[in-house]
Amino acid sequence: MTTLTDTGAPAGRPAGAPTAPRPARAHRPGLPLRARLGRAAVYLLLIAAVLTVAFPVYYVFAGAFMRPDEIATYPPALVPHSVTGRNFSGAVHAVPLVRQYANSLLVAAVITAAQLFTSVLAAYAFVFLPMRGRAVVFGLFLATLMVPWESVVIPNYLTLSGWGLGNTYFGLVLPFLASGFGTFLLRQSFRQFPAELRDAARIDGAGHWRFLWRILVPLNKPVLAALAVYVFLSAWNQYFWPLIITRTAEMQTLQIGLSSLRDSEMADPGLILAGVVLSLLPTLLLVLFGQRFIVRGLTAGAIR
């Protein structure tokens, strides 16, 4: 410990003696001009990319509230001068858009719930149940992902039509109740579960069903949420299968209704933009609120 004298100087140093100068702080040089220009160029490119992606979405929402004469002006108006809701009411009356909107929600929700359920059961079987030739069976299971959808559309259509399921909700959802991708994703996540915890749950008397739904599923919520978002978006944006399996406008989905607005003889761009806004709302909400689950879920099986 350093002691001070009556004059305030440290002990062992005479009063009035000059103190040693403090070392000057090293001057931190700034970034060179070339590095600053490179960083500015990167920021400009990123801003341009964001504007390129975000501008169509903005114009869809802006155009949905414009009058037809504002949309038809050249150069086009970027901001609606007088906000109107006639485009939404016109789109709802032009086609049964409310019924088709409900059909899309119902079909997407049923497909999402069914794929989550079947994928959880299949992934659990591949990881925790003893099985001969497990790797071979799983390889054959994954091989279904390499089959193009276009090659099975006609067999599916003929089969479901022969069963009398054409133009029904069962016909819309039946080919999509199970998925090889969901099983693969959940299998990779389940394989990270510690074997010691599984043995401890078995010692405590937890059977397969209780262990699956009480322990394993709650611990894999991010992966399940990512899979749910992916499946819902895929089912929501379906167009070709609902087009060929349905015959009446009341059973069609929203994407087909938007196509009917576009292909009508008196096509109004305002009505089309209003319909697109209605179609974008669920997808935008899912992406905004489920983005972190998508990233965490898709990267969960990357590192063991």
Side-chain angles (χ1 to χ4, degrees), residues 13-30:
R13 180 184 299 172
T19 58
R22 294 182 179 179
R25 293 184 179 179
H27 179 65
R28 189 175 182 181

Side-chain angles (χ1 to χ4, degrees), residues 54-66 88 269-270 272-278 280:
F55 178 76
V57 179
Y58 162 75
Y59 191 76
V60 165
F61 280 87
F65 295 96
M66 292 183 185
F88 292 94
I272 298 174
L273 292 177
V276 172
V277 167
L278 295 176
L280 282 177

Side-chain angles (χ1 to χ4, degrees), residues 270-289:
L271 304 186
I272 298 174
L273 292 177
V276 172
V277 167
L278 295 176
S279 176
L280 282 177
L281 287 178
T283 58
L284 287 178
L285 292 177
L286 279 178
V287 171
L288 288 177
F289 294 102

